[in-house]
Amino acid sequence: QVQLEESGGGSVRAGGSLRLSCQISGGNYKTYDGVSYCMAWFRQVSGKEREGVATIDSNGRTTYLDSVEGRFTVSKDNREGRLYLQMNSLKPEDTATYFCAAARVPRCFSNTDYSYWGQGTHVAVSS
């Protein structure tokens, strides 16, 4: 069973930066190789629907939510089994709980069904 665990959330002032990490472990592999997974970051504000923030596929191709394009960068370290989200120029509207997710498919699509989810890490941006 693949397990995901996020870290790196916290409180920051508008204009600041945070780097979220997601450790990937378990599954049918003794070591995670990231070759066949679509990975993603989502966020959710209480009372609102969860929204996709960024994706990165097995070839490193990335997509971003329009409102974070140019400010956020998604990356991964296949050897270490880690997914990252570098968040710069943070805005109060970025405040949310951020989740990493994985799907055992090589490419990401808008309708990708993510089978594995972390517990989330909270980001609070004050004005």
Side-chain angles (χ1 to χ4, degrees):
Q1 181 72 18
V2 173
Q3 296 177 325
L4 307 177
E5 183 175 3
E6 304 93 339
S7 61
S11 298
V12 65
R13 287 190 174 273
S17 298
L18 283 174
R19 188 193 195 201
L20 305 184
S21 296
C22 176
Q23 181 67 57
I24 308 152
S25 61
N28 292 324
Y29 309 97
K30 290 185 177 180
T31 57
Y32 170 76
D33 61 10
V35 174
S36 300
Y37 286 81
C38 161
M39 304 294 301
W41 287 97
F42 286 80
R43 66 187 182 187
Q44 187 169 24
V45 176
S46 180
K48 295 186 177 181
E49 288 191 5
R50 184 171 53 199
E51 64 178 355
V53 175
T55 67
I56 184 166
D57 71 11
S58 59
N59 288 325
R61 286 176 292 229
T62 59
T63 66
Y64 295 93
L65 182 69
D66 286 347
S67 62
V68 308
E69 183 86 52
R71 299 187 297 121
F72 289 11
T73 302
V74 60
S75 62
K76 62 178 180 175
D77 184 331
N78 287 341
R79 185 185 63 178
E80 296 294 327
R82 281 187 173 270
L83 177 73
Y84 299 100
L85 185 67
Q86 178 66 44
M87 306 186 295
N88 298 328
S89 302
L90 282 161
K91 303 176 180 180
E93 51 264 43
D94 295 318
T95 295
T97 298
Y98 285 72
F99 301 87
C100 65
R104 288 190 65 182
V105 293
R107 295 193 63 183
C108 305
F109 297 96
S110 59
N111 62 348
T112 293
D113 182 17
Y114 293 90
S115 300
Y116 308 105
W117 292 85
Q119 293 298 307
T121 185
H122 190 68
V123 171
V125 184
S126 60
S127 57

